[in-house]
Amino acid sequence: MTKLCFVALLTGLALAQPAHATRVFVSNEKDNTITVLDGDTLEVVKVVPVGQRPRGIMLTPDKKELLVCVGDENRLDVVDTEKLEVTRTLPSGPDPELLAIDPKGERVYVANEDDGMVTVLTLKDGQVLAEIGVGVEPEGMGVSPDNKITVATS
């Protein structure tokens, strides 16, 4: 199996650093961690332990949280981007692969690879709103800027 890394960039967030600091978040599937890099120097800021087999990651629209698909634990780990630690978990459905967050930061759409479905939940409290059957092995997720269309690729 190929080692996968997913990267999310965080810009414009002051974390006791100069204004417009950039952070790079990388999921490390085999190490069960998220590596946080300084976007200017590429030096490691911190390695954050997360659940088993982290896959896709995405920043919330306000950039305060990073959502991590934890494939072997059937959940999302939520990393606080200031504290750089997991502060809560959310349900994800089985084998979360990738995710998308609506532009307002209210709903999360999770591609559940093994079951061929998308789990829809609220970001605030993790309430599962729907489980929608889609094609075989959905992996990619996207939400249109006007929030009218959600796409799952399979």
Side-chain angles (χ1 to χ4, degrees):
M1 175 185 285
T2 305
K3 183 175 180 179
L4 297 176
C5 289
F6 297 94
V7 179
L9 293 175
L10 177 61
T11 59
L13 180 63
L15 295 174
Q17 294 187 0
H20 307 293
T22 301
R23 293 278 169 94
V24 179
F25 296 87
V26 181
S27 69
N28 304 303
E29 184 176 343
K30 302 245 183 203
D31 295 336
N32 304 320
T33 62
I34 300 295
T35 300
V36 184
L37 302 171
D38 179 293
D40 296 324
T41 66
L42 298 182
E43 299 212 7
V44 175
V45 173
K46 186 171 182 178
V47 176
V48 181
V50 295
Q52 298 275 324
R53 199 169 63 108
R55 308 293 301 272
I57 59 178
M58 179 161 280
L59 288 165
T60 56
D62 64 8
K63 298 182 178 35
K64 291 182 179 181
E65 295 180 312
L66 177 78
L67 276 58
V68 181
C69 292
V70 183
D72 285 352
E73 296 191 35
N74 301 327
R75 71 174 193 233
L76 301 177
D77 280 355
V78 182
V79 176
D80 181 297
T81 58
E82 185 174 331
K83 295 177 183 178
L84 297 178
E85 62 187 42
V86 175
T87 55
R88 62 190 179 118
T89 63
L90 298 171
S92 68
D95 193 26
E97 177 80 16
L98 290 174
L99 69 145
I101 303 169
D102 77 67
K104 293 181 180 180
E106 295 172 354
R107 290 186 179 185
V108 179
Y109 301 86
V110 183
N112 303 113
E113 183 179 30
D114 286 347
D115 285 9
M117 69 178 188
V118 171
T119 299
V120 183
L121 59 129
T122 59
L123 178 59
K124 181 179 178 180
D125 60 9
Q127 178 185 0
V128 175
L129 302 174
E131 292 180 328
I132 304 163
V134 295
V136 177
E137 292 189 14
E139 294 191 359
M141 290 298 311
V143 180
S144 64
D146 64 3
N147 203 27
K148 292 184 178 181
I149 298 173
T150 301
V151 176
T153 60
S154 359

